[in-house]
Amino acid sequence: MEASQPSGAKPILTVTMNPALDVSTSTDRVYSGHKLRCGTSRLDPGGGGVNVARVIQRLGGQVLAVYTAGGPPGEAYRRLMEGEQVPSLVIPIKGSTRQNFTVDENSTGNQFRFVLEGAELSEDEWRTCLQLVGRSISPGGYVVASGSLPPGVPEDFYAQLARLVRKGGARFVVDTSGQPLAEVLAEGVFLVKPSKRELGEHFGAPLEGERNQIEAASALVASGSAEYVALTLGDAGAILASKEGVIRLPVPSVRVLSTVGAGDSFLGALVLRLAQGCPVEAAFRSALAAGSAAAMTPATELCHRKDVERLEEELAAVS
Ligand SMILES: Nc1ncnc2c1ncn2[C@@H]1O[C@H](COP(=O)(O)OP(=O)(O)OP(=O)(O)O)[C@@H](O)[C@H]1O
Ligand SMILES: [Mg+2]
């Protein structure tokens, strides 16, 4: 059922339990007490796993996106995904797909992000997601679960999914935070992509300084929580830890417009290149290129292929 890559690369499936219809716009200044007249608005189908799938698609890979959708915003969400021609398996839910709202303040360059709580899922609904993914796993493929869990979904959902994926002979990749991250790391995954903030929260102390960051990422490898840890450090680049050692890369120099979607672009490129059989170091460079390419685009826009390819070449030339 999973999409296979044109070049014989491994199939990739993404899972999004808490997608969001992203509404973004701009206004001159944000203040209280008056109507804030906004400029043009755009709608994007957002949420971790779906974003990862959209990045893989625009970088020329094939992917299957599994996500929940409900209510009128869910309908709009599905139509946007059809417009982007991302192959999808949709799990209908009774509640309404949430909407997130991002406002760029023109006079300061500040960005305000309002992130709403998702609709509650019933036990039937989240168990259907597990079954659907379970049936779609291809041995040797990748399953990428990314984003928060909506109300009603147990905090060990990703841990349950990790177990299913391992049994199915595929590689489980996860990007989440808080208790769901703790539970899935206790189960063990192929690759985890925490940001500095998320891994700091996990260990209960801010991860300042390269030594602490390398130690934290390596600790997850040593304890068997993850074979690969891609710790992203915003404008300071990223660290990749595995049993082969630690790689550290800075970001290429880019003009930053909005870092929304940088982590998802990073992860999409990383998984795609691994699935295509790229050496880990080259895949890691592509991830940095895609993360920084996403920072170059406004608001919720993800990376563009031509920027990723240019930055990939730039990074390959200096390494
Ligand atoms: N200001 C920036 N300039 C250049 N590249 C950036 C910038 N911010 C992020 N990136 C790129 O995107 C990657 C991921 O960014 P980051 O570490 O902020 O993760 P994130 O998942 O977006 O964060 P979080 O989930 O905590 O919001 C970085 O490793 C880097 O490659
Ligand atoms: Mg992130």
Side-chain angles (χ1 to χ4, degrees), residues 201-232:
E201 277 169 17
H202 178 72
F203 283 116
L207 290 183
E208 292 313 329
E210 188 171 303
R211 229 187 81 203
N212 286 334
Q213 291 157 2
I214 290 177
E215 247 177 46
S218 305
L220 292 185
V221 176
S223 63
S225 296
E227 285 180 51
Y228 289 90
V229 179
L231 169 59
T232 58

Side-chain angles (χ1 to χ4, degrees), residues 117-139:
E117 197 177 61
E120 180 155 348
L121 260 62
S122 67
E123 181 165 351
D124 267 6
E125 289 169 342
W126 66 257
R127 285 201 184 279
T128 302
C129 298
L130 274 184
Q131 282 159 10
L132 199 69
V133 176
R135 282 204 302 269
S136 309
I137 296 168
S138 303

Side-chain angles (χ1 to χ4, degrees), residues 193 195 197-198 232-235 237-238 251 254 256 259 262-263 266 288 291-292 295:
K193 191 224 83 65
S195 62
R197 177 184 56 81
E198 289 162 341
T232 58
L233 307 166
D235 63 3
V251 289
V254 295
V256 176
T259 58
F266 178 103
L288 260 294
S292 298

